[in-house]
Amino acid sequence: MLAISLLVLLHEGGHFFFSKLFGVRVEKFFLFFDLGIGKWSGKLFSHKPKNSDTEYGVGWLPLGGYCKISGMIDESFDTEQMKQPEQPWEFRSKPAWQRLLIMIGGVLVNFLLALFIYAMILFTWGESYIPASQMAMKFNDTAKELGFRDGDRLLSADGEPFKQFDADLYRQLASAHEVEVERDGTHQTLSLPGELNLLEMLKSEPRFVSPFIPAVVDSVLPGSPAEQAGIVAGTQIVQLNGHLIDSHNTFLFELGRLQDQMASAVSPADSLKVRTVTIAYKSAGADSVSVSQVVLTPDLKLGFMPMMLTELYKPTTIEYGFFESFPAGVRYGCNVLAGYVSDMKYVFTADGAKSLGGFGAIGSLFPPMWDWYMFWKMTAFLSIILAFMNILPIPALDGGHVLFLLYEMITRRKPSEKFMIRAEYVGFGIIILLMVVANLNDILRWLGYL
């Protein structure tokens, strides 16, 4: 809520700034929507300073915010105002280039804000990551059919080195024709089709590729099934229900199988049967394998922590000075935007539509415990998304208004007000439909149907 409120205020502040700069009257500046119900205005707070034309306030519906600009066809659908004679302080009376700057003001602020936040993150915390070339990887069957082998270290895709294990690494693999790997101390080149489906790579279980984590216990939670079974730090998990465990990755996959079985359980006895598992493990330094039958927790946890990647590999940390952080932040932000834009093509597929998320998905981006680093990183990411989504050429969004303004500037012909009103209705309907689909997906995911 704090992140979105901050972004909405600054986005609308961008429109407000250029409106005031060009002498356009702003009638209302609201965080959240003040949708009235009956005689209630829908305002939680409002204030209109003396000698000011603008009413500032907070509405009750937290779906964004708005800046009501005089003489403009927007989501308020104030058609009565448009029937009156044109006034010099109105949006419609200003030159097209001024109206264009007013419309892109919000997007401009969001984009610059994201770059600034990324720069300050790099200045404050630096950039710390584990180079992909250090990490042994675990691959699924699809990847192995393409020539990858467990333990491979990913070096480059089409000559471009992999930096770290993140979404960019997946994007590089998806579009690569040649991938160089290190296998058993030697470099090998694998041929790839160059058109792998990124969504399928990310959604498959197990995933196309993930860092190899040994099935070795780092620590055991007190009172957990693991402690009751005699498992201690340094223990290696060998089998789960007779299935060979060669890594923590495989252990998680087997737990996923149990999750699927738990979903079909219809009674407490069925659930208990799924939760009762046979664990084979080898203590540190021991030659023999011990076998125990344990009952997992209701959420199918054994109760131990695996080894952390930072224990297995040495992170690389880059520090940035104050002035160095700005070009680095611009590069970082532009890379995030480029990745997001390249992924948009999947939205128009069936899997892509299912991947849309609403407020629940946004909330899941943030950690459960307060963390300033993650707060600012996710706020910058949402600011990039807000800027990009708003500049899309959809009527009712800033990009729709920009599209019509560019048409006017090129043809010297202004679209009729009747057309603009109809376009606003169509665009508003599209936005509502997208919001319904996205938030319905959140509910279906919560219920376990997606």
Side-chain angles (χ1 to χ4, degrees):
M1 290 295 290
L2 178 60
I4 291 175
S5 298
L6 175 66
L7 296 180
V8 168
L9 277 174
L10 291 175
H11 177 92
E12 299 303 331
H15 296 308
F16 184 88
F17 170 79
F18 283 105
S19 296
K20 290 294 186 180
L21 182 66
F22 299 129
V24 176
R25 183 175 294 175
V26 178
E27 298 175 16
K28 297 176 75 173
F29 186 96
F30 265 68
L31 173 65
F32 306 153
F33 292 110
D34 55 332
L35 183 65
I37 301 175
K39 295 183 179 180
W40 184 48
S41 66
K43 302 171 185 176
L44 297 180
F45 162 82
S46 70
H47 174 65
K48 189 172 183 178
K50 188 177 180 181
N51 300 324
S52 173
D53 298 315
T54 307
E55 177 188 6
Y56 302 90
V58 178
W60 68 273
L61 188 61
L63 296 179
Y66 70 100
C67 187
K68 189 177 186 308
I69 300 171
S70 293
M72 176 183 167
I73 299 170
D74 57 12
E75 61 271 13
S76 67
F77 299 108
D78 187 357
T79 56
E80 290 302 316
Q81 184 184 71
M82 304 305 292
K83 295 176 182 178
Q84 305 302 317
E86 192 174 288
Q87 301 297 327
W89 62 77
E90 290 186 330
F91 177 83
R92 55 181 167 168
S93 70
K94 300 300 178 180
W97 69 270
Q98 292 186 4
R99 285 180 278 136
L100 180 64
L101 285 174
I102 291 172
M103 291 318 305
I104 66 172
V107 168
L108 183 63
V109 166
N110 280 134
F111 184 63
L112 294 178
L113 173 67
L115 299 184
F116 177 75
I117 293 175
Y118 281 132
M120 291 300 95
I121 287 174
L122 294 175
F123 172 65
T124 305
W125 288 282
E127 186 178 13
S128 184
Y129 62 93
I130 299 172
S133 58
Q134 288 187 19
M135 303 168 70
M137 295 292 180
K138 179 78 175 172
F139 300 88
N140 67 8
D141 291 339
T142 302
K144 289 175 181 176
E145 289 174 2
L146 294 170
F148 292 102
R149 297 291 177 267
D150 288 341
D152 284 352
R153 298 173 189 266
L154 297 172
L155 303 179
S156 66
D158 292 335
E160 182 180 350
F162 293 105
K163 183 178 180 180
Q164 59 183 316
F165 180 77
D166 59 4
D168 284 341
L169 181 141
Y170 268 92
R171 293 187 187 105
Q172 285 180 261
L173 287 173
S175 61
H177 291 90
E178 287 189 346
V179 173
E180 186 179 6
V181 302
E182 180 184 327
R183 183 180 298 168
D184 300 326
T186 63
H187 289 198
Q188 297 191 24
T189 301
L190 307 179
S191 295
L192 267 64
E195 50 185 19
L196 296 175
N197 187 299
L198 181 62
L199 278 182
E200 290 181 1
M201 295 169 71
L202 289 168
K203 293 179 69 175
S204 60
E205 288 295 341
R207 285 190 174 185
F208 186 90
V209 59
S210 56
F212 181 91
I213 301 176
V216 176
V217 175
D218 181 72
S219 59
V220 177
L221 299 177
S224 65
E227 185 183 61
Q228 295 167 14
I231 295 174
V232 296
T235 297
Q236 179 182 356
I237 308 298
V238 177
Q239 288 185 352
L240 176 63
N241 282 347
H243 296 284
L244 181 66
I245 303 298
D246 60 0
S247 64
H248 186 66
N249 313 62
T250 307
F251 179 76
L252 292 178
F253 176 66
E254 293 301 329
L255 289 183
R257 288 180 192 255
L258 297 179
Q259 290 280 7
D260 293 339
Q261 295 176 32
M262 184 68 83
S264 60
V266 296
S267 68
D270 292 335
S271 299
L272 181 61
K273 185 177 180 180
V274 174
R275 291 168 52 204
T276 304
V277 298
T278 302
I279 298 282
Y281 58 90
K282 186 188 294 184
S283 299
D287 295 326
S288 59
V289 174
S290 302
V291 178
S292 293
Q293 190 175 72
V294 297
V295 178
L296 303 178
T297 62
D299 56 350
L300 298 178
K301 295 291 191 293
L302 185 57
F304 73 89
M305 294 295 294
M307 298 181 70
M308 302 292 289
L309 285 175
T310 50
E311 297 176 49
L312 299 169
Y313 309 105
K314 183 180 179 181
T316 293
T317 301
I318 303 174
E319 302 289 345
Y320 293 92
F322 182 74
F323 294 106
E324 292 175 315
S325 67
F326 286 96
V330 170
R331 288 194 299 271
Y332 192 102
C334 289
N335 182 61
V336 171
L337 177 61
Y340 185 76
V341 172
S342 71
D343 295 344
M344 283 298 292
K345 60 187 176 185
Y346 295 104
V347 171
F348 304 102
T349 65
D351 286 338
K354 292 178 183 177
S355 299
L356 288 174
F359 294 106
I362 292 173
S364 68
L365 293 174
F366 293 84
M369 302 295 289
W370 188 267
D371 183 319
W372 277 112
Y373 172 79
M374 289 303 299
F375 171 78
W376 287 118
K377 189 173 182 180
M378 290 301 101
T379 299
F381 178 61
L382 290 176
S383 194
I384 288 273
I385 293 176
L386 188 60
F388 176 74
M389 295 300 292
N390 264 283
I391 206 62
L392 291 176
I394 299 175
L397 292 179
D398 297 343
H401 291 281
V402 168
L403 179 66
F404 296 134
L405 279 167
L406 291 175
Y407 168 81
E408 178 185 341
M409 295 171 75
I410 293 170
T411 64
R412 307 288 181 180
R413 293 166 53 192
K414 184 185 291 189
S416 70
E417 291 180 359
K418 187 175 182 180
F419 170 81
M420 293 293 290
I421 291 171
R422 288 178 176 175
E424 194 78 11
Y425 276 115
V426 171
F428 198 71
I430 293 172
I431 294 169
I432 293 296
L433 178 62
L434 285 173
M435 289 185 65
V436 169
V437 171
N439 287 285
L440 181 60
N441 282 350
D442 285 346
I443 295 171
L444 293 175
R445 271 189 286 267
W446 181 66
L447 294 174
Y449 291 106
L450 274 183

